Amino acid sequence: MARGDRPYGTFPHDGAEQPSVTPTRATLRQRFAPFARRTRPAQWFVASVVTAVVLIAVGTALLPRSAVITQTDVKRAVIDALASSTPKPNVAIEAYDRVKESVVAVRTRTGGNATPQPRGAGFILDTGGTIVTSLHILSDAEAIFVVFYDGAELQAQVLDRQPEFDMAVLGVSAGGRKQATLASAKNLRVGDEAMVVGSPLGLGNGLSVGTVSRLGTLVQPAWGGPPIGGLIQFNAAVYPGNSGGPLVNRRGEVIGIVIVAANELTGVGFAVPIDAAASVAGSNPF
């Protein structure tokens, strides 16, 4: 543009003082950056502390409140601990106590002897005076007597004989005594408790303890006759005098009628399942 074309006031004046240029003011971020770089470790430390405090506060808020333990709670805990450490009653003792009053000793008079001799055992089937025992112990008997738990002795009559189960049903004139509780042998398993209550050697109620060792055993009786099948085999000791007595489970329930071990062996016993015996007696509850 020519000098003449410039608007008035735009011509430079020789010798006039030119205005100074003011530098641009630094932004806040630019001024803070050096400080931030110098204090970065401290910033990380503070952030870590704050985070930890927050996490602790949140965790404490989420935790369930602690229950106040009272003296009653302490006593209850002590009682529970003592109860758990107390030995459980022996199952054999309980079983015997439940059946002992229902077991009888069987005596017979033979060969013109005046004094009855111990022959075996039996158990009370009902309160009417019906008693179950083994048939073979009654052989050659001229008179049969049963001795109850309380010592009372009564003469008995044979009401029924079942040779296939080696079983006899006796009756006495007086009833009202405690009858045995029966339990089906159908659910027995090898390893279940099996206890014999009888009159070994004629010495009154005695107990021997074992387990079921086999089911459905076929045995040739030592006293002769046809084999008897379907028997419960157990390992409780049996002796002369146990025959006819009950084989009971851990609850004292009769599950079988004991017959003396083949060849008089001890430690190997057999019993007729109570299901069959009760059916013969006409009193099968199963």
Side-chain angles (χ1 to χ4, degrees), residues 25-260:
R25 181 174 294 181
T27 64
L28 181 62
R29 183 175 182 179
Q30 290 173 334
R31 288 186 296 167
F32 184 73
F35 175 78
R37 286 193 297 269
R38 290 195 303 270
T39 60
R40 183 164 296 166
Q43 295 175 42
W44 282 110
F45 175 76
V46 172
S48 300
V49 172
V50 172
T51 302
V53 171
V54 171
L55 291 176
I56 292 173
V58 172
T60 302
L62 295 177
L63 286 175
R65 294 185 177 181
S66 301
V68 177
I69 300 177
T70 65
Q71 189 65 26
T72 301
D73 296 330
V74 174
K75 291 182 179 179
R76 186 179 295 111
V78 172
I79 292 173
D80 293 342
L82 291 174
S84 63
S85 63
T86 302
K88 298 296 186 293
N90 189 311
V91 295
I93 296 175
E94 292 186 351
Y96 177 77
D97 286 342
R98 290 175 180 176
V99 74
K100 63 184 180 182
E101 295 180 33
S102 303
V103 180
V104 301
V106 178
R107 301 179 181 180
T108 64
R109 189 173 65 227
T110 61
N113 294 325
T115 304
Q117 299 299 312
R119 294 295 300 274
F123 60 91
I124 302 171
L125 185 64
D126 58 41
T127 57
T130 304
I131 295 167
V132 176
T133 187
S134 287
L135 178 61
H136 76 271
I137 68 173
L138 305 179
S139 61
D140 302 325
E142 296 176 354
I144 303 169
F145 300 87
V146 294
V147 182
F148 294 93
Y149 180 75
D150 59 6
E153 184 173 0
L154 295 176
Q155 188 168 355
Q157 295 76 38
V158 177
L159 302 180
D160 194 9
R161 301 172 185 262
Q162 297 293 332
E164 65 272 25
F165 295 113
D166 185 41
M167 177 184 144
V169 180
L170 306 178
V172 295
S173 58
R177 299 182 184 272
K178 182 179 180 180
Q179 68 186 67
T181 301
L182 311 183
S184 175
K186 294 179 181 178
N187 297 324
L188 279 182
R189 297 181 300 175
V190 172
D192 283 342
E193 292 91 343
M195 288 162 270
V196 175
V197 183
S199 184
L201 307 177
L203 298 177
N205 275 13
L207 172 72
S208 58
V209 180
T211 58
V212 174
S213 54
R214 190 176 180 183
L215 297 169
T217 304
L218 178 69
V219 171
Q220 176 63 54
W223 57 88
I228 303 175
L231 300 179
I232 303 167
Q233 182 177 329
F234 55 89
N235 58 15
V238 289
Y239 304 95
N242 285 130
S243 293
L247 181 72
V248 303
N249 59 21
R250 64 183 299 148
R251 295 179 295 276
E253 300 165 333
V254 179
I255 56 176
I257 303 171
V258 175
I259 59 176
V260 74

